Amino acid sequence: SSQVKSLGVIFDSTLSFIPQINNISRTAFFHLRNIARLRPSLSQHSTQILVHALDTSGIDYCNAILCGLPNKLLHRLQIIQNSAARIITHTKSSDHITPTLIQLHWLPVQQRINSRTPNSKQQKTAKSKTFKTMKTKEDKT
């Protein structure tokens, strides 16, 4: 087979992660359709809990491996997040989504991925902070 699934992540032979994004999309929209059917009888808070449990957790799971993928693929994940936000807040599809994402305190998908993958400058800063913390603990003893 040209695909391998390990820990819930689908790796294809070219590491394009297209099958992984297809799987995330299919699963997320299945859950969103079901949540949308239940939405009239749910509070906003209950809906938000369901969306977090079923959809945003799927988008966030192992998303650091998606760093560097083309925007075309990441846009598909952004559409899922936008749809989830619209279901939670009853936002019309014609309304802008950015204020809704801000209201929910959600980062766009690209920024969610980048926040989990530190660049070399962030890694150096984190290492130096760790070293300083270790050094001060040594000095105290």
Side-chain angles (χ1 to χ4, degrees), residues 21 24-25 28-29 32 55-56 59 71-87 97 101 106-110:
I21 290 177
I24 292 170
S25 299
F29 280 118
L32 285 175
D55 281 344
T56 55
I59 292 172
N71 287 336
K72 180 181 179 182
L73 291 176
L74 296 180
H75 182 68
R76 293 178 60 193
L77 298 178
Q78 187 62 54
I79 291 171
I80 296 167
Q81 186 184 41
N82 295 351
S83 298
R86 289 181 195 285
I87 289 171
I97 194 66
L101 294 177
W106 288 2
L107 288 173
V109 171
Q110 181 70 51

Side-chain angles (χ1 to χ4, degrees), residues 22-36:
N22 288 342
N23 187 46
I24 292 170
S25 299
R26 184 174 42 255
T27 305
F29 280 118
F30 171 79
H31 291 303
L32 285 175
R33 276 189 301 275
N34 288 330
I35 292 170

